[in-house]
Amino acid sequence: MKTKITLLTALGTAAVLQPALSQKGQARPNIIYIMSDDHAYQAISAYGHQIGRMAPTPGIDRIAANGMRFNRCLVTNSISGPCRAVVLTGKYSHLNGFAKNEGQAPFDGSQQTFPKLLQEAGYSTAIIGKWHLGSDPTGFDHWEVLPGQGHYYNPDFINKNGRHTENGYVTELITDKSLKWISEVKSSGKPFMLMMHHKAPHREWQPGPRELTLYKNMKFPEPATLFDDYSGRGRAAHEQDMTISKTMRLEEDLKLYKDKGKMKTTGLNRMDAAQAEDWNKTYDPIIRAFYEAGLTGDELVRYKYQRYMQDYLACISAVDKSVGQLLDYLKANGLDKNTIVIYASDQGFYLGEHGWFDKRFMFEESYRTPLLIQWPGVVKGGSVNSDIVSNLDFAETILDMAGVKIPADMQGRSMVPVLMGKTPKDWRKEHYYHYYEYPAVHSVKRHYGISTERYKLMHFYYDIDEWELYDLKTDPMEMKNLYGDPAYAAIRGDLHERLEKLRVQFRDTDESLKSFLPAAK
Ligand code: CA
């Protein structure tokens, strides 16, 4: 704690007296926040999972080697736009006003966000890439974002001057634009903060020109729960619509186009002749072999899982190259020592666990996001942390890193002491979750809940009013709802009590819950 206070005092004083320099004569740190979309921690080699090891991410792993890897970074509402709004505001969805992707008013850009506060404190700020919040970005000196979900090939971008199309692959374009912006501001005398937001590896997982053939012959290990029948769990798991077997589409998702006219619906018709030629060279033989094989039943599910992994992981490889390129750029330009690099996804993702793809549920794979942070001279290289941290903490952490005062109404907590290896004794022991988007695509019922290190209590309210309780120690795959088990009565009571306290703490009352939601069908 003592070290923390010293550092923060130094940085805080610097913010007041000398906009660009701390007392020690060191410049205030630049901060680069890289966020990918739907990147599962299982698919990062630094996390040690089998999938990640087979499809390694050497670029992202450099951040782990230089800094800290977080094993339990939990999101407050596991879906794109809402996660982005939480990161910007440091507030839960019911307070920042952006709770769902669909049927949602645009993000209110007039509210307090951390980029605005950094801008006021003398930082150059930019966001490049996926935004997904409906309104124009605010708080950024420079912004260039994808409309909505954006496209992989020859995407449109929106900036202050309007909308235009660019030739290239989205991950590479976002990287080039990011490095260009850094090159323009690096000598300005002001520190900078860049949010570099990749579209990849979001559905429909379209690999880039450099990665088309990377994994096309690779066979990945199947998760133990690929053929989960959801026995032992409630209606929410039974009634979702996000399975590889039923929901995942052969043509649009797995590129097994019988009808190439359908490529239009996923933007693949945007490819130019050369891009299309490379694409067809890769996929035509795959398509032919698939339809000749005539797979059905479990064999078809197994095949779909492999196809999914091959494309998803190829998309990640481009993101990983982007990270490597950025780290190389920082080093080559003498920026590496004074630039903090954060890597996260907007949320986690299912790689076939429970037979699923997509996210939304409070089950571990989509509840957890990867998080890796390097901060030269402050964070010990190769360190690993398993405290419960959250995307709710990102705004406050970044403000603290910059020595900017944290507003009292933000709801997370600065992770700076955690990064220094000195987790405060009163650090959170439980985390509050709330997902709102239903009825909607993938049919995941609305739920809120609490997770501790070991237990998880979920309430699928409104639509079905069912409770579920999981013991992550005895059941890490979350296969058995223990809510009605008498052996867990005391634990259940304790979790209920703590959940109610969290709802009060975060001002998510019955009233806010009701006022926020449209009635179920
Ligand atoms: Ca996402």
Side-chain angles (χ1 to χ4, degrees), residues 85-109:
V86 167
V87 169
L88 289 170
T89 61
K91 291 177 186 169
Y92 272 91
S93 304
H94 61 281
L95 295 184
N96 70 43
F98 202 93
K100 305 180 288 178
N101 275 351
E102 296 173 29
Q104 165 71 51
F107 179 70
D108 173 10

mmCIF file with all atom_site columns, all heavy atoms in Angstrom, residues 85-109:
data_model
loop_
_atom_site.group_PDB
_atom_site.id
_atom_site.type_symbol
_atom_site.label_atom_id
_atom_site.label_alt_id
_atom_site.label_comp_id
_atom_site.label_asym_id
_atom_site.label_entity_id
_atom_site.label_seq_id
_atom_site.pdbx_PDB_ins_code
_atom_site.Cartn_x
_atom_site.Cartn_y
_atom_site.Cartn_z
_atom_site.occupancy
_atom_site.B_iso_or_equiv
_atom_site.pdbx_formal_charge
_atom_site.auth_seq_id
_atom_site.auth_comp_id
_atom_site.auth_asym_id
_atom_site.auth_atom_id
_atom_site.pdbx_PDB_model_num
ATOM 1   N N   . ALA A 1 85  ? -19.760 0.264  -22.985 1.00 0.00 ? 85  ALA A N   1
ATOM 2   C CA  . ALA A 1 85  ? -20.275 1.380  -22.187 1.00 0.00 ? 85  ALA A CA  1
ATOM 3   C C   . ALA A 1 85  ? -19.761 1.307  -20.748 1.00 0.00 ? 85  ALA A C   1
ATOM 4   O O   . ALA A 1 85  ? -19.445 2.336  -20.140 1.00 0.00 ? 85  ALA A O   1
ATOM 5   C CB  . ALA A 1 85  ? -21.802 1.380  -22.215 1.00 0.00 ? 85  ALA A CB  1
ATOM 6   N N   . VAL A 1 86  ? -19.657 0.096  -20.217 1.00 0.00 ? 86  VAL A N   1
ATOM 7   C CA  . VAL A 1 86  ? -19.130 -0.076 -18.854 1.00 0.00 ? 86  VAL A CA  1
ATOM 8   C C   . VAL A 1 86  ? -17.665 0.352  -18.802 1.00 0.00 ? 86  VAL A C   1
ATOM 9   O O   . VAL A 1 86  ? -17.230 1.050  -17.884 1.00 0.00 ? 86  VAL A O   1
ATOM 10  C CB  . VAL A 1 86  ? -19.291 -1.544 -18.385 1.00 0.00 ? 86  VAL A CB  1
ATOM 11  C CG1 . VAL A 1 86  ? -18.481 -1.810 -17.125 1.00 0.00 ? 86  VAL A CG1 1
ATOM 12  C CG2 . VAL A 1 86  ? -20.755 -1.870 -18.152 1.00 0.00 ? 86  VAL A CG2 1
ATOM 13  N N   . VAL A 1 87  ? -16.899 -0.042 -19.807 1.00 0.00 ? 87  VAL A N   1
ATOM 14  C CA  . VAL A 1 87  ? -15.482 0.324  -19.841 1.00 0.00 ? 87  VAL A CA  1
ATOM 15  C C   . VAL A 1 87  ? -15.327 1.847  -19.872 1.00 0.00 ? 87  VAL A C   1
ATOM 16  O O   . VAL A 1 87  ? -14.502 2.418  -19.155 1.00 0.00 ? 87  VAL A O   1
ATOM 17  C CB  . VAL A 1 87  ? -14.782 -0.329 -21.061 1.00 0.00 ? 87  VAL A CB  1
ATOM 18  C CG1 . VAL A 1 87  ? -13.390 0.256  -21.272 1.00 0.00 ? 87  VAL A CG1 1
ATOM 19  C CG2 . VAL A 1 87  ? -14.698 -1.845 -20.875 1.00 0.00 ? 87  VAL A CG2 1
ATOM 20  N N   . LEU A 1 88  ? -16.122 2.522  -20.678 1.00 0.00 ? 88  LEU A N   1
ATOM 21  C CA  . LEU A 1 88  ? -15.999 3.979  -20.814 1.00 0.00 ? 88  LEU A CA  1
ATOM 22  C C   . LEU A 1 88  ? -16.416 4.719  -19.544 1.00 0.00 ? 88  LEU A C   1
ATOM 23  O O   . LEU A 1 88  ? -15.818 5.720  -19.178 1.00 0.00 ? 88  LEU A O   1
ATOM 24  C CB  . LEU A 1 88  ? -16.872 4.481  -21.977 1.00 0.00 ? 88  LEU A CB  1
ATOM 25  C CG  . LEU A 1 88  ? -16.385 4.114  -23.386 1.00 0.00 ? 88  LEU A CG  1
ATOM 26  C CD1 . LEU A 1 88  ? -17.464 4.458  -24.410 1.00 0.00 ? 88  LEU A CD1 1
ATOM 27  C CD2 . LEU A 1 88  ? -15.087 4.852  -23.726 1.00 0.00 ? 88  LEU A CD2 1
ATOM 28  N N   . THR A 1 89  ? -17.470 4.209  -18.888 1.00 0.00 ? 89  THR A N   1
ATOM 29  C CA  . THR A 1 89  ? -18.062 4.969  -17.776 1.00 0.00 ? 89  THR A CA  1
ATOM 30  C C   . THR A 1 89  ? -17.664 4.480  -16.387 1.00 0.00 ? 89  THR A C   1
ATOM 31  O O   . THR A 1 89  ? -17.802 5.225  -15.418 1.00 0.00 ? 89  THR A O   1
ATOM 32  C CB  . THR A 1 89  ? -19.605 4.907  -17.838 1.00 0.00 ? 89  THR A CB  1
ATOM 33  O OG1 . THR A 1 89  ? -20.009 3.518  -17.714 1.00 0.00 ? 89  THR A OG1 1
ATOM 34  C CG2 . THR A 1 89  ? -20.133 5.482  -19.146 1.00 0.00 ? 89  THR A CG2 1
ATOM 35  N N   . GLY A 1 90  ? -17.243 3.226  -16.284 1.00 0.00 ? 90  GLY A N   1
ATOM 36  C CA  . GLY A 1 90  ? -17.004 2.670  -14.948 1.00 0.00 ? 90  GLY A CA  1
ATOM 37  C C   . GLY A 1 90  ? -18.296 2.501  -14.164 1.00 0.00 ? 90  GLY A C   1
ATOM 38  O O   . GLY A 1 90  ? -18.300 2.514  -12.935 1.00 0.00 ? 90  GLY A O   1
ATOM 39  N N   . LYS A 1 91  ? -19.401 2.353  -14.889 1.00 0.00 ? 91  LYS A N   1
ATOM 40  C CA  . LYS A 1 91  ? -20.704 2.192  -14.230 1.00 0.00 ? 91  LYS A CA  1
ATOM 41  C C   . LYS A 1 91  ? -21.477 1.030  -14.849 1.00 0.00 ? 91  LYS A C   1
ATOM 42  O O   . LYS A 1 91  ? -21.362 0.782  -16.046 1.00 0.00 ? 91  LYS A O   1
ATOM 43  C CB  . LYS A 1 91  ? -21.543 3.468  -14.406 1.00 0.00 ? 91  LYS A CB  1
ATOM 44  C CG  . LYS A 1 91  ? -21.019 4.653  -13.649 1.00 0.00 ? 91  LYS A CG  1
ATOM 45  C CD  . LYS A 1 91  ? -21.866 5.880  -13.935 1.00 0.00 ? 91  LYS A CD  1
ATOM 46  C CE  . LYS A 1 91  ? -21.239 7.095  -13.272 1.00 0.00 ? 91  LYS A CE  1
ATOM 47  N NZ  . LYS A 1 91  ? -21.872 8.340  -13.723 1.00 0.00 ? 91  LYS A NZ  1
ATOM 48  N N   . TYR A 1 92  ? -22.288 0.392  -14.019 1.00 0.00 ? 92  TYR A N   1
ATOM 49  C CA  . TYR A 1 92  ? -23.146 -0.692 -14.497 1.00 0.00 ? 92  TYR A CA  1
ATOM 50  C C   . TYR A 1 92  ? -24.135 -0.185 -15.542 1.00 0.00 ? 92  TYR A C   1
ATOM 51  O O   . TYR A 1 92  ? -24.469 1.010  -15.599 1.00 0.00 ? 92  TYR A O   1
ATOM 52  C CB  . TYR A 1 92  ? -23.921 -1.306 -13.323 1.00 0.00 ? 92  TYR A CB  1
ATOM 53  C CG  . TYR A 1 92  ? -23.145 -2.418 -12.635 1.00 0.00 ? 92  TYR A CG  1
ATOM 54  C CD1 . TYR A 1 92  ? -22.302 -2.146 -11.562 1.00 0.00 ? 92  TYR A CD1 1
ATOM 55  C CD2 . TYR A 1 92  ? -23.249 -3.732 -13.082 1.00 0.00 ? 92  TYR A CD2 1
ATOM 56  C CE1 . TYR A 1 92  ? -21.585 -3.165 -10.942 1.00 0.00 ? 92  TYR A CE1 1
ATOM 57  C CE2 . TYR A 1 92  ? -22.540 -4.752 -12.468 1.00 0.00 ? 92  TYR A CE2 1
ATOM 58  C CZ  . TYR A 1 92  ? -21.715 -4.474 -11.408 1.00 0.00 ? 92  TYR A CZ  1
ATOM 59  O OH  . TYR A 1 92  ? -21.001 -5.490 -10.810 1.00 0.00 ? 92  TYR A OH  1
ATOM 60  N N   . SER A 1 93  ? -24.644 -1.124 -16.350 1.00 0.00 ? 93  SER A N   1
ATOM 61  C CA  . SER A 1 93  ? -25.540 -0.794 -17.467 1.00 0.00 ? 93  SER A CA  1
ATOM 62  C C   . SER A 1 93  ? -26.749 0.031  -17.041 1.00 0.00 ? 93  SER A C   1
ATOM 63  O O   . SER A 1 93  ? -27.160 0.952  -17.753 1.00 0.00 ? 93  SER A O   1
ATOM 64  C CB  . SER A 1 93  ? -26.044 -2.083 -18.124 1.00 0.00 ? 93  SER A CB  1
ATOM 65  O OG  . SER A 1 93  ? -24.971 -2.893 -18.536 1.00 0.00 ? 93  SER A OG  1
ATOM 66  N N   . HIS A 1 94  ? -27.348 -0.295 -15.888 1.00 0.00 ? 94  HIS A N   1
ATOM 67  C CA  . HIS A 1 94  ? -28.573 0.407  -15.493 1.00 0.00 ? 94  HIS A CA  1
ATOM 68  C C   . HIS A 1 94  ? -28.300 1.875  -15.185 1.00 0.00 ? 94  HIS A C   1
ATOM 69  O O   . HIS A 1 94  ? -29.219 2.675  -15.164 1.00 0.00 ? 94  HIS A O   1
ATOM 70  C CB  . HIS A 1 94  ? -29.247 -0.287 -14.303 1.00 0.00 ? 94  HIS A CB  1
ATOM 71  C CG  . HIS A 1 94  ? -28.406 -0.332 -13.064 1.00 0.00 ? 94  HIS A CG  1
ATOM 72  N ND1 . HIS A 1 94  ? -27.398 -1.240 -12.882 1.00 0.00 ? 94  HIS A ND1 1
ATOM 73  C CD2 . HIS A 1 94  ? -28.417 0.442  -11.951 1.00 0.00 ? 94  HIS A CD2 1
ATOM 74  C CE1 . HIS A 1 94  ? -26.831 -1.046 -11.706 1.00 0.00 ? 94  HIS A CE1 1
ATOM 75  N NE2 . HIS A 1 94  ? -27.418 -0.022 -11.130 1.00 0.00 ? 94  HIS A NE2 1
ATOM 76  N N   . LEU A 1 95  ? -27.026 2.226  -14.961 1.00 0.00 ? 95  LEU A N   1
ATOM 77  C CA  . LEU A 1 95  ? -26.705 3.636  -14.705 1.00 0.00 ? 95  LEU A CA  1
ATOM 78  C C   . LEU A 1 95  ? -26.116 4.337  -15.930 1.00 0.00 ? 95  LEU A C   1
ATOM 79  O O   . LEU A 1 95  ? -26.350 5.522  -16.137 1.00 0.00 ? 95  LEU A O   1
ATOM 80  C CB  . LEU A 1 95  ? -25.745 3.746  -13.520 1.00 0.00 ? 95  LEU A CB  1
ATOM 81  C CG  . LEU A 1 95  ? -26.312 3.283  -12.175 1.00 0.00 ? 95  LEU A CG  1
ATOM 82  C CD1 . LEU A 1 95  ? -25.303 3.525  -11.059 1.00 0.00 ? 95  LEU A CD1 1
ATOM 83  C CD2 . LEU A 1 95  ? -27.625 3.998  -11.851 1.00 0.00 ? 95  LEU A CD2 1
ATOM 84  N N   . ASN A 1 96  ? -25.356 3.606  -16.757 1.00 0.00 ? 96  ASN A N   1
ATOM 85  C CA  . ASN A 1 96  ? -24.821 4.279  -17.959 1.00 0.00 ? 96  ASN A CA  1
ATOM 86  C C   . ASN A 1 96  ? -25.843 4.262  -19.095 1.00 0.00 ? 96  ASN A C   1
ATOM 87  O O   . ASN A 1 96  ? -25.641 4.908  -20.122 1.00 0.00 ? 96  ASN A O   1
ATOM 88  C CB  . ASN A 1 96  ? -23.468 3.697  -18.396 1.00 0.00 ? 96  ASN A CB  1
ATOM 89  C CG  . ASN A 1 96  ? -23.569 2.292  -18.960 1.00 0.00 ? 96  ASN A CG  1
ATOM 90  O OD1 . ASN A 1 96  ? -24.467 1.981  -19.742 1.00 0.00 ? 96  ASN A OD1 1
ATOM 91  N ND2 . ASN A 1 96  ? -22.638 1.415  -18.593 1.00 0.00 ? 96  ASN A ND2 1
ATOM 92  N N   . GLY A 1 97  ? -26.943 3.512  -18.898 1.00 0.00 ? 97  GLY A N   1
ATOM 93  C CA  . GLY A 1 97  ? -28.061 3.583  -19.833 1.00 0.00 ? 97  GLY A CA  1
ATOM 94  C C   . GLY A 1 97  ? -27.951 2.696  -21.057 1.00 0.00 ? 97  GLY A C   1
ATOM 95  O O   . GLY A 1 97  ? -28.839 2.698  -21.898 1.00 0.00 ? 97  GLY A O   1
ATOM 96  N N   . PHE A 1 98  ? -26.862 1.901  -21.170 1.00 0.00 ? 98  PHE A N   1
ATOM 97  C CA  . PHE A 1 98  ? -26.704 1.068  -22.366 1.00 0.00 ? 98  PHE A CA  1
ATOM 98  C C   . PHE A 1 98  ? -26.674 -0.397 -21.935 1.00 0.00 ? 98  PHE A C   1
ATOM 99  O O   . PHE A 1 98  ? -25.628 -0.951 -21.611 1.00 0.00 ? 98  PHE A O   1
ATOM 100 C CB  . PHE A 1 98  ? -25.424 1.450  -23.114 1.00 0.00 ? 98  PHE A CB  1
ATOM 101 C CG  . PHE A 1 98  ? -25.447 1.056  -24.571 1.00 0.00 ? 98  PHE A CG  1
ATOM 102 C CD1 . PHE A 1 98  ? -25.875 1.952  -25.538 1.00 0.00 ? 98  PHE A CD1 1
ATOM 103 C CD2 . PHE A 1 98  ? -25.052 -0.221 -24.979 1.00 0.00 ? 98  PHE A CD2 1
ATOM 104 C CE1 . PHE A 1 98  ? -25.913 1.596  -26.883 1.00 0.00 ? 98  PHE A CE1 1
ATOM 105 C CE2 . PHE A 1 98  ? -25.096 -0.588 -26.318 1.00 0.00 ? 98  PHE A CE2 1
ATOM 106 C CZ  . PHE A 1 98  ? -25.524 0.329  -27.273 1.00 0.00 ? 98  PHE A CZ  1
ATOM 107 N N   . ALA A 1 99  ? -27.842 -1.037 -21.945 1.00 0.00 ? 99  ALA A N   1
ATOM 108 C CA  . ALA A 1 99  ? -27.950 -2.374 -21.354 1.00 0.00 ? 99  ALA A CA  1
ATOM 109 C C   . ALA A 1 99  ? -27.981 -3.506 -22.364 1.00 0.00 ? 99  ALA A C   1
ATOM 110 O O   . ALA A 1 99  ? -27.752 -4.658 -22.013 1.00 0.00 ? 99  ALA A O   1
ATOM 111 C CB  . ALA A 1 99  ? -29.201 -2.444 -20.482 1.00 0.00 ? 99  ALA A CB  1
ATOM 112 N N   . LYS A 1 100 ? -28.307 -3.187 -23.636 1.00 0.00 ? 100 LYS A N   1
ATOM 113 C CA  . LYS A 1 100 ? -28.508 -4.245 -24.633 1.00 0.00 ? 100 LYS A CA  1
ATOM 114 C C   . LYS A 1 100 ? -27.917 -3.819 -25.972 1.00 0.00 ? 100 LYS A C   1
ATOM 115 O O   . LYS A 1 100 ? -27.749 -2.632 -26.224 1.00 0.00 ? 100 LYS A O   1
ATOM 116 C CB  . LYS A 1 100 ? -30.009 -4.500 -24.835 1.00 0.00 ? 100 LYS A CB  1
ATOM 117 C CG  . LYS A 1 100 ? -30.765 -4.826 -23.567 1.00 0.00 ? 100 LYS A CG  1
ATOM 118 C CD  . LYS A 1 100 ? -32.233 -5.061 -23.845 1.00 0.00 ? 100 LYS A CD  1
ATOM 119 C CE  . LYS A 1 100 ? -32.947 -3.768 -24.187 1.00 0.00 ? 100 LYS A CE  1
ATOM 120 N NZ  . LYS A 1 100 ? -34.362 -3.977 -24.513 1.00 0.00 ? 100 LYS A NZ  1
ATOM 121 N N   . ASN A 1 101 ? -27.674 -4.783 -26.836 1.00 0.00 ? 101 ASN A N   1
ATOM 122 C CA  . ASN A 1 101 ? -27.278 -4.446 -28.208 1.00 0.00 ? 101 ASN A CA  1
ATOM 123 C C   . ASN A 1 101 ? -28.490 -4.073 -29.056 1.00 0.00 ? 101 ASN A C   1
ATOM 124 O O   . ASN A 1 101 ? -28.440 -3.161 -29.860 1.00 0.00 ? 101 ASN A O   1
ATOM 125 C CB  . ASN A 1 101 ? -26.587 -5.631 -28.888 1.00 0.00 ? 101 ASN A CB  1
ATOM 126 C CG  . ASN A 1 101 ? -25.100 -5.689 -28.566 1.00 0.00 ? 101 ASN A CG  1
ATOM 127 O OD1 . ASN A 1 101 ? -24.550 -4.768 -27.977 1.00 0.00 ? 101 ASN A OD1 1
ATOM 128 N ND2 . ASN A 1 101 ? -24.461 -6.773 -28.962 1.00 0.00 ? 101 ASN A ND2 1
ATOM 129 N N   . GLU A 1 102 ? -29.561 -4.840 -28.865 1.00 0.00 ? 102 GLU A N   1
ATOM 130 C CA  . GLU A 1 102 ? -30.742 -4.651 -29.709 1.00 0.00 ? 102 GLU A CA  1
ATOM 131 C C   . GLU A 1 102 ? -31.829 -3.900 -28.951 1.00 0.00 ? 102 GLU A C   1
ATOM 132 O O   . GLU A 1 102 ? -31.957 -4.059 -27.741 1.00 0.00 ? 102 GLU A O   1
ATOM 133 C CB  . GLU A 1 102 ? -31.279 -6.019 -30.157 1.00 0.00 ? 102 GLU A CB  1
ATOM 134 C CG  . GLU A 1 102 ? -30.310 -6.779 -31.040 1.00 0.00 ? 102 GLU A CG  1
ATOM 135 C CD  . GLU A 1 102 ? -30.765 -8.205 -31.336 1.00 0.00 ? 102 GLU A CD  1
ATOM 136 O OE1 . GLU A 1 102 ? -31.982 -8.457 -31.356 1.00 0.00 ? 102 GLU A OE1 1
ATOM 137 O OE2 . GLU A 1 102 ? -29.886 -9.064 -31.525 1.00 0.00 ? 102 GLU A OE2 1
ATOM 138 N N   . GLY A 1 103 ? -32.630 -3.124 -29.682 1.00 0.00 ? 103 GLY A N   1
ATOM 139 C CA  . GLY A 1 103 ? -33.740 -2.397 -29.054 1.00 0.00 ? 103 GLY A CA  1
ATOM 140 C C   . GLY A 1 103 ? -33.239 -1.445 -27.993 1.00 0.00 ? 103 GLY A C   1
ATOM 141 O O   . GLY A 1 103 ? -33.798 -1.336 -26.908 1.00 0.00 ? 103 GLY A O   1
ATOM 142 N N   . GLN A 1 104 ? -32.180 -0.733 -28.318 1.00 0.00 ? 104 GLN A N   1
ATOM 143 C CA  . GLN A 1 104 ? -31.475 0.062  -27.323 1.00 0.00 ? 104 GLN A CA  1
ATOM 144 C C   . GLN A 1 104 ? -31.246 1.461  -27.894 1.00 0.00 ? 104 GLN A C   1
ATOM 145 O O   . GLN A 1 104 ? -30.822 1.610  -29.029 1.00 0.00 ? 104 GLN A O   1
ATOM 146 C CB  . GLN A 1 104 ? -30.123 -0.626 -27.044 1.00 0.00 ? 104 GLN A CB  1
ATOM 147 C CG  . GLN A 1 104 ? -29.093 0.185  -26.314 1.00 0.00 ? 104 GLN A CG  1
ATOM 148 C CD  . GLN A 1 104 ? -29.455 0.395  -24.860 1.00 0.00 ? 104 GLN A CD  1
ATOM 149 O OE1 . GLN A 1 104 ? -29.761 -0.534 -24.130 1.00 0.00 ? 104 GLN A OE1 1
ATOM 150 N NE2 . GLN A 1 104 ? -29.461 1.654  -24.446 1.00 0.00 ? 104 GLN A NE2 1
ATOM 151 N N   . ALA A 1 105 ? -31.526 2.502  -27.090 1.00 0.00 ? 105 ALA A N   1
ATOM 152 C CA  . ALA A 1 105 ? -31.212 3.870  -27.522 1.00 0.00 ? 105 ALA A CA  1
ATOM 153 C C   . ALA A 1 105 ? -29.695 4.021  -27.613 1.00 0.00 ? 105 ALA A C   1
ATOM 154 O O   . ALA A 1 105 ? -28.967 3.359  -26.879 1.00 0.00 ? 105 ALA A O   1
ATOM 155 C CB  . ALA A 1 105 ? -31.777 4.860  -26.514 1.00 0.00 ? 105 ALA A CB  1
ATOM 156 N N   . PRO A 1 106 ? -29.203 4.883  -28.519 1.00 0.00 ? 106 PRO A N   1
ATOM 157 C CA  . PRO A 1 106 ? -27.751 5.068  -28.616 1.00 0.00 ? 106 PRO A CA  1
ATOM 158 C C   . PRO A 1 106 ? -27.149 5.498  -27.276 1.00 0.00 ? 106 PRO A C   1
ATOM 159 O O   . PRO A 1 106 ? -27.822 6.105  -26.445 1.00 0.00 ? 106 PRO A O   1
ATOM 160 C CB  . PRO A 1 106 ? -27.604 6.201  -29.650 1.00 0.00 ? 106 PRO A CB  1
ATOM 161 C CG  . PRO A 1 106 ? -28.870 6.183  -30.428 1.00 0.00 ? 106 PRO A CG  1
ATOM 162 C CD  . PRO A 1 106 ? -29.943 5.702  -29.486 1.00 0.00 ? 106 PRO A CD  1
ATOM 163 N N   . PHE A 1 107 ? -25.873 5.169  -27.100 1.00 0.00 ? 107 PHE A N   1
ATOM 164 C CA  . PHE A 1 107 ? -25.133 5.557  -25.896 1.00 0.00 ? 107 PHE A CA  1
ATOM 165 C C   . PHE A 1 107 ? -25.192 7.075  -25.728 1.00 0.00 ? 107 PHE A C   1
ATOM 166 O O   . PHE A 1 107 ? -24.965 7.816  -26.686 1.00 0.00 ? 107 PHE A O   1
ATOM 167 C CB  . PHE A 1 107 ? -23.680 5.098  -26.042 1.00 0.00 ? 107 PHE A CB  1
ATOM 168 C CG  . PHE A 1 107 ? -22.795 5.460  -24.887 1.00 0.00 ? 107 PHE A CG  1
ATOM 169 C CD1 . PHE A 1 107 ? -22.945 4.842  -23.656 1.00 0.00 ? 107 PHE A CD1 1
ATOM 170 C CD2 . PHE A 1 107 ? -21.795 6.422  -25.040 1.00 0.00 ? 107 PHE A CD2 1
ATOM 171 C CE1 . PHE A 1 107 ? -22.111 5.174  -22.589 1.00 0.00 ? 107 PHE A CE1 1
ATOM 172 C CE2 . PHE A 1 107 ? -20.967 6.755  -23.980 1.00 0.00 ? 107 PHE A CE2 1
ATOM 173 C CZ  . PHE A 1 107 ? -21.126 6.125  -22.752 1.00 0.00 ? 107 PHE A CZ  1
ATOM 174 N N   . ASP A 1 108 ? -25.482 7.513  -24.515 1.00 0.00 ? 108 ASP A N   1
ATOM 175 C CA  . ASP A 1 108 ? -25.536 8.944  -24.227 1.00 0.00 ? 108 ASP A CA  1
ATOM 176 C C   . ASP A 1 108 ? -24.112 9.476  -24.053 1.00 0.00 ? 108 ASP A C   1
ATOM 177 O O   . ASP A 1 108 ? -23.512 9.365  -22.992 1.00 0.00 ? 108 ASP A O   1
ATOM 178 C CB  . ASP A 1 108 ? -26.367 9.164  -22.952 1.00 0.00 ? 108 ASP A CB  1
ATOM 179 C CG  . ASP A 1 108 ? -26.315 10.614 -22.486 1.00 0.00 ? 108 ASP A CG  1
ATOM 180 O OD1 . ASP A 1 108 ? -25.795 11.472 -23.247 1.00 0.00 ? 108 ASP A OD1 1
ATOM 181 O OD2 . ASP A 1 108 ? -26.790 10.880 -21.369 1.00 0.00 ? 108 ASP A OD2 1
ATOM 182 N N   . GLY A 1 109 ? -23.602 10.067 -25.123 1.00 0.00 ? 109 GLY A N   1
ATOM 183 C CA  . GLY A 1 109 ? -22.210 10.532 -25.130 1.00 0.00 ? 109 GLY A CA  1
ATOM 184 C C   . GLY A 1 109 ? -21.984 11.811 -24.355 1.00 0.00 ? 109 GLY A C   1
ATOM 185 O O   . GLY A 1 109 ? -20.857 12.288 -24.266 1.00 0.00 ? 109 GLY A O   1
#
